Amino acid sequence: MKKTLLIFIAFVSFTKDATKVFICDSKGSKKYHFSENCRGLSPCKHQVIEISIGDARTKKLTLCGWED
């Protein structure tokens, strides 16, 4: 039972940071988005890129207000 629980915990912790999000690839970006079509990305004048949510949090980005 303990082995199954440890495997489950490891799986959940690794998949959480593997979730892909979208950001505007500019120095001024402050938010990440779950949808590439989020209206919070519409003012982006740079390229919209896909990164992991872990990388977005490492960059100190927070979830877009239109998506929470």
Side-chain angles (χ1 to χ4, degrees), residues 33-64:
H33 312 263
F34 288 117
S35 170
E36 188 174 13
N37 299 319
C38 175
R39 66 193 229 185
L41 281 169
S42 60
C44 180
K45 301 220 184 311
H46 295 81
Q47 183 177 7
V48 174
I49 60 171
E50 182 179 28
I51 64 171
S52 73
I53 195 168
D55 289 343
R57 289 178 178 160
T58 299
K59 294 177 183 235
K60 307 225 186 284
L61 301 177
T62 57
L63 180 61
C64 172

